[in-house]
Amino acid sequence: MLHGVDVSSYNSSFSTKGLDFVFVKATEGRSYVNPHQSAQAARAREAGCVVGFYHFLWPGHITAQAEYFVEKCASVHGDLLAVDWESTGAGTHASNAQKDQFLREVKKLRPTHRVMLYCNRDFWLNHDTTSYAADGLWIADYVTAGHPRIKAKWRIHQYTDSPLDKDVAAFASRAELKKWAHPA
């Protein structure tokens, strides 16, 4: 398995030692842009890591959020794109239909990118009704790395958030992940 982290503006400094991939929070809702995303992605690229960007989804205005994400995200061809589907700070969350719509909108807007769903085990088991994860599921479940407690096929597993969000990917090599990230 490959090793990676996901970072936000709170993680302005992070080590890339031993990492194969880095996901960077790009946007949230229709008004927030991570001011450090370009520098964070550059650090990961310099280390040879596969780079991904994610958007924290709010309920409502789904097409506008998808457009905002792809417009403000510092992605280049071959980067992974993901939606972070969980409860907001206000205790609300996008519906299952809105999650699916967002994934489809991003796929339509960026057809040459792999698009993924990030959610925690509770959302996958108790809120999801379609099992739609676009090109891949990135599941958060804080158990042994690579052994999330779900039956669905997953691509990335976030297994801890201490000292920062750490992940493993179900790929045999970094080259295999890079190849997967560059769909024809």
Short mmCIF file of all heavy atoms in Angstrom, two decimals, residues 2 6-7 22 29 31 37 56 77 83 94-95 97 105 109 113 123 135 143 145 148 151-153 161 178:
data_model
loop_
_atom_site.label_atom_id
_atom_site.label_comp_id
_atom_site.label_asym_id
_atom_site.label_seq_id
_atom_site.Cartn_x
_atom_site.Cartn_y
_atom_site.Cartn_z
N LEU A 2 0.31 2.30 -0.53
CA LEU A 2 1.00 3.58 -0.58
C LEU A 2 0.57 4.44 0.60
O LEU A 2 -0.51 4.27 1.14
CB LEU A 2 0.66 4.29 -1.89
CG LEU A 2 0.96 3.52 -3.17
CD1 LEU A 2 0.61 4.37 -4.38
CD2 LEU A 2 2.41 3.09 -3.23
N ASP A 6 -3.62 14.09 4.00
CA ASP A 6 -4.43 15.17 3.45
C ASP A 6 -4.28 16.36 4.38
O ASP A 6 -4.23 16.21 5.59
CB ASP A 6 -5.88 14.76 3.21
CG ASP A 6 -6.59 14.17 4.40
OD1 ASP A 6 -6.41 12.98 4.67
OD2 ASP A 6 -7.33 14.93 5.06
N VAL A 7 -4.14 17.53 3.75
CA VAL A 7 -3.82 18.74 4.49
C VAL A 7 -4.80 19.85 4.14
O VAL A 7 -5.44 19.83 3.08
CB VAL A 7 -2.37 19.20 4.21
CG1 VAL A 7 -1.36 18.16 4.69
CG2 VAL A 7 -2.15 19.52 2.74
N VAL A 22 -0.48 13.26 -1.71
CA VAL A 22 -0.93 14.32 -0.81
C VAL A 22 -2.22 14.90 -1.38
O VAL A 22 -2.26 15.29 -2.55
CB VAL A 22 0.12 15.45 -0.67
CG1 VAL A 22 -0.43 16.60 0.18
CG2 VAL A 22 1.42 14.92 -0.08
N GLY A 29 -17.72 25.13 0.29
CA GLY A 29 -18.91 25.90 -0.05
C GLY A 29 -18.72 26.71 -1.31
O GLY A 29 -18.19 26.21 -2.31
N SER A 31 -17.44 30.09 -0.89
CA SER A 31 -16.75 31.31 -0.49
C SER A 31 -15.35 31.10 0.06
O SER A 31 -14.61 32.07 0.21
CB SER A 31 -17.58 32.05 0.56
OG SER A 31 -17.75 31.24 1.71
N GLN A 37 -2.97 26.40 -0.84
CA GLN A 37 -3.08 25.20 -1.67
C GLN A 37 -1.99 25.10 -2.74
O GLN A 37 -1.46 24.01 -2.98
CB GLN A 37 -4.47 25.07 -2.28
CG GLN A 37 -4.80 26.12 -3.33
CD GLN A 37 -6.09 25.84 -4.04
OE1 GLN A 37 -6.32 24.74 -4.52
NE2 GLN A 37 -6.94 26.85 -4.12
N PHE A 56 -14.84 20.79 0.40
CA PHE A 56 -15.74 20.49 1.51
C PHE A 56 -17.14 20.93 1.10
O PHE A 56 -17.40 22.12 0.93
CB PHE A 56 -15.29 21.21 2.78
CG PHE A 56 -16.02 20.75 4.01
CD1 PHE A 56 -15.47 19.80 4.84
CD2 PHE A 56 -17.27 21.28 4.33
CE1 PHE A 56 -16.15 19.37 5.99
CE2 PHE A 56 -17.96 20.86 5.45
CZ PHE A 56 -17.39 19.90 6.28
N HIS A 77 -3.50 18.65 -14.99
CA HIS A 77 -3.86 17.34 -15.52
C HIS A 77 -3.14 16.24 -14.73
O HIS A 77 -1.96 16.36 -14.43
CB HIS A 77 -3.50 17.24 -17.00
CG HIS A 77 -3.85 15.92 -17.59
ND1 HIS A 77 -5.16 15.54 -17.80
CD2 HIS A 77 -3.10 14.87 -17.97
CE1 HIS A 77 -5.18 14.33 -18.32
NE2 HIS A 77 -3.94 13.90 -18.42
N VAL A 83 -14.55 15.12 -3.34
CA VAL A 83 -15.51 15.87 -2.54
C VAL A 83 -15.47 15.29 -1.13
O VAL A 83 -15.45 14.08 -0.94
CB VAL A 83 -16.93 15.83 -3.12
CG1 VAL A 83 -17.48 14.42 -3.19
CG2 VAL A 83 -17.87 16.73 -2.31
N ALA A 94 -24.81 17.94 3.18
CA ALA A 94 -25.45 17.77 1.87
C ALA A 94 -26.15 16.42 1.85
O ALA A 94 -25.70 15.47 2.49
CB ALA A 94 -24.41 17.85 0.76
N SER A 95 -27.23 16.34 1.12
CA SER A 95 -27.97 15.08 1.00
C SER A 95 -27.19 14.10 0.11
O SER A 95 -26.25 14.49 -0.59
CB SER A 95 -29.35 15.33 0.40
OG SER A 95 -29.21 15.70 -0.97
N ALA A 97 -28.34 12.79 -2.60
CA ALA A 97 -28.56 13.25 -3.98
C ALA A 97 -27.64 14.41 -4.33
O ALA A 97 -27.12 14.49 -5.45
CB ALA A 97 -30.02 13.65 -4.18
N GLU A 105 -21.22 16.61 -11.54
CA GLU A 105 -20.89 17.94 -12.08
C GLU A 105 -19.38 18.09 -12.25
O GLU A 105 -18.91 18.59 -13.27
CB GLU A 105 -21.42 19.05 -11.17
CG GLU A 105 -22.91 19.22 -11.19
CD GLU A 105 -23.44 19.81 -12.50
OE1 GLU A 105 -22.72 20.56 -13.18
OE2 GLU A 105 -24.59 19.50 -12.83
N LEU A 109 -17.30 18.75 -15.65
CA LEU A 109 -16.45 19.92 -15.80
C LEU A 109 -14.97 19.56 -16.01
O LEU A 109 -14.23 20.31 -16.64
CB LEU A 109 -16.58 20.83 -14.57
CG LEU A 109 -17.93 21.49 -14.38
CD1 LEU A 109 -18.06 22.07 -12.98
CD2 LEU A 109 -18.16 22.57 -15.45
N HIS A 113 -10.00 14.15 -15.36
CA HIS A 113 -9.54 13.91 -14.00
C HIS A 113 -10.32 12.76 -13.36
O HIS A 113 -11.51 12.59 -13.63
CB HIS A 113 -9.76 15.15 -13.12
CG HIS A 113 -8.84 16.29 -13.42
ND1 HIS A 113 -7.71 16.54 -12.71
CD2 HIS A 113 -8.89 17.24 -14.38
CE1 HIS A 113 -7.10 17.60 -13.20
NE2 HIS A 113 -7.80 18.04 -14.23
N PHE A 123 -21.13 8.02 7.44
CA PHE A 123 -21.84 8.54 6.27
C PHE A 123 -22.02 7.44 5.23
O PHE A 123 -23.08 7.34 4.61
CB PHE A 123 -21.10 9.74 5.67
CG PHE A 123 -21.62 11.06 6.19
CD1 PHE A 123 -21.52 11.38 7.53
CD2 PHE A 123 -22.21 11.97 5.34
CE1 PHE A 123 -22.01 12.58 8.02
CE2 PHE A 123 -22.71 13.17 5.81
CZ PHE A 123 -22.60 13.47 7.16
N ASP A 135 -15.18 7.86 -9.38
CA ASP A 135 -14.09 6.96 -9.77
C ASP A 135 -13.49 6.19 -8.60
O ASP A 135 -12.66 5.30 -8.82
CB ASP A 135 -12.98 7.76 -10.47
CG ASP A 135 -13.46 8.37 -11.77
OD1 ASP A 135 -14.12 7.66 -12.55
OD2 ASP A 135 -13.18 9.56 -12.00
N VAL A 143 -9.14 2.88 12.15
CA VAL A 143 -8.75 1.51 12.54
C VAL A 143 -7.42 1.22 11.86
O VAL A 143 -6.83 2.10 11.23
CB VAL A 143 -9.84 0.49 12.14
CG1 VAL A 143 -11.12 0.71 12.93
CG2 VAL A 143 -10.11 0.53 10.65
N ALA A 145 -4.54 0.64 9.45
CA ALA A 145 -4.37 1.13 8.08
C ALA A 145 -4.63 0.01 7.07
O ALA A 145 -4.09 -1.08 7.17
CB ALA A 145 -2.97 1.69 7.88
N PRO A 148 -10.42 -0.73 6.53
CA PRO A 148 -11.64 -0.04 6.95
C PRO A 148 -12.78 -1.06 7.10
O PRO A 148 -12.82 -2.06 6.40
CB PRO A 148 -11.91 0.93 5.80
CG PRO A 148 -11.26 0.32 4.62
CD PRO A 148 -10.05 -0.40 5.16
N LYS A 151 -17.73 -2.96 3.38
CA LYS A 151 -17.67 -4.02 2.38
C LYS A 151 -17.41 -3.49 0.99
O LYS A 151 -17.09 -4.25 0.09
CB LYS A 151 -18.96 -4.84 2.41
CG LYS A 151 -19.11 -5.59 3.71
CD LYS A 151 -20.32 -6.48 3.69
CE LYS A 151 -20.54 -7.00 5.03
NZ LYS A 151 -20.64 -8.07 5.60
N ALA A 152 -17.53 -2.21 0.77
CA ALA A 152 -17.36 -1.61 -0.56
C ALA A 152 -15.89 -1.58 -0.96
O ALA A 152 -15.00 -1.53 -0.10
CB ALA A 152 -17.91 -0.19 -0.55
N LYS A 153 -15.65 -1.56 -2.27
CA LYS A 153 -14.29 -1.40 -2.77
C LYS A 153 -13.85 0.04 -2.50
O LYS A 153 -14.58 0.98 -2.77
CB LYS A 153 -14.25 -1.67 -4.27
CG LYS A 153 -12.85 -1.56 -4.84
CD LYS A 153 -12.82 -1.85 -6.32
CE LYS A 153 -11.39 -1.69 -6.81
NZ LYS A 153 -11.28 -1.87 -8.24
N ASP A 161 -6.22 10.77 12.37
CA ASP A 161 -6.13 12.22 12.18
C ASP A 161 -5.09 12.82 13.12
O ASP A 161 -5.07 14.02 13.34
CB ASP A 161 -7.49 12.89 12.35
CG ASP A 161 -8.05 12.74 13.75
OD1 ASP A 161 -7.44 12.05 14.60
OD2 ASP A 161 -9.13 13.30 13.99
N LYS A 178 -0.11 6.76 -10.26
CA LYS A 178 0.02 7.82 -11.28
C LYS A 178 -0.70 7.42 -12.56
O LYS A 178 -1.38 8.24 -13.18
CB LYS A 178 1.49 8.13 -11.56
CG LYS A 178 2.14 8.97 -10.50
CD LYS A 178 3.57 9.31 -10.85
CE LYS A 178 4.18 10.17 -9.75
NZ LYS A 178 5.54 10.59 -10.06
#
